[in-house]
Amino acid sequence: MDKVVTTAAEAVADIPSGSSLAVGGFGLCGIPAVLINALLQAGPEDLEVLSNNCGVDDWGLGLLLRARRIRRMVASYVGENKEFERQYLAGELEVELTPQGTLAERMRAGGSGIPAFYTATGVGTQVAEGGLPWKYGPSGDVEVASPPKETRCFDSAQGRKEFLLEQAATADFALVRAWKGDRHGNLVYRQSSRNFNPLAAMCARVTIAEVEELVELGELDADQIHTPGVFVHRVVALTPAQAAEKRIERRTVRVGTTRPTDPSRHSEPAKAPAPEGVTLRQRPAAPRPASSPVGSETSA
């Protein structure tokens, strides 16, 4: 079955207001930016989004957030988006913070037909005990808080331990980005963009993938496919310009030093001054053991 659609706008045209979305990517790495922009233009509102984070203020899911299209966010990291912080603290956005590994497993479980699972992550914290503020009221009080979760003890490699019950996550639609894909929806991700994309693709009823390179059937090595086409319903081939546009969330520049190549330029490293009142003493060299004939015994 050929799953290729002509444009991103066509691919997201039937996503209605009130939908839940699972969105791949980590930071700005591997995010389906073209599909997100198409969804922004399409105009659905009141969305619930499951994703590792919510992009930045001017890119990725941050664009939907700025346009007030997101009602609820389920994420594990939200630290790079000032508008996200403002909306959350103002009571305009509901946020369910979830440990990162737990969020990944909730998506995987949802795509595998597993309704819930036990995990040690979060035991003894508000994740298990409840009370995390999901939504603030206009006056700053907690309007919606996380509920307590069921716990149970199991035998483990570390002995008897307590675990908490986490429910699987599913969504109406998923938006993902792949490096390569074929017309049947088989997808291959490149390096670190293979983050939340395979998990998001699994857990939705309708999965839409944007691919940087569309290949013909049989060109992908079956052993290298990360998301089988059974999980994917629509494929959008990006233009070279769309595929090349990738932003960096936080640019870090390391100041390096030039390593001298001439041995005569090597100098003794400067010694740090001793603290006031402290005298530095040279440690005497350890005496060399007396040489002994080969085969003789020496004491340690």
Side-chain angles (χ1 to χ4, degrees), residues 11 14 20 25 28-29 56 78 87-88 97 103 110 130 169 178 183 192 195 198 209 215 221 235 271 287 289 300:
D14 62 343
S20 58
L28 298 184
C29 177
V56 294
V78 295
Q87 289 189 24
Y88 173 55
L97 282 175
L103 179 60
R183 293 183 174 274
S192 56
N195 40 52
V215 301
D221 183 346
V235 176
K271 296 181 180 180

Side-chain angles (χ1 to χ4, degrees), residues 39-41 43-46 57 61-70 83 87:
L39 192 62
L40 178 67
Q41 299 303 318
E45 303 175 339
D46 198 33
D57 290 298
L61 287 172
L63 297 174
L64 291 175
L65 185 74
R66 188 173 63 185
R68 306 295 184 89
R69 306 287 178 78
I70 300 177
E83 178 61 14
Q87 289 189 24

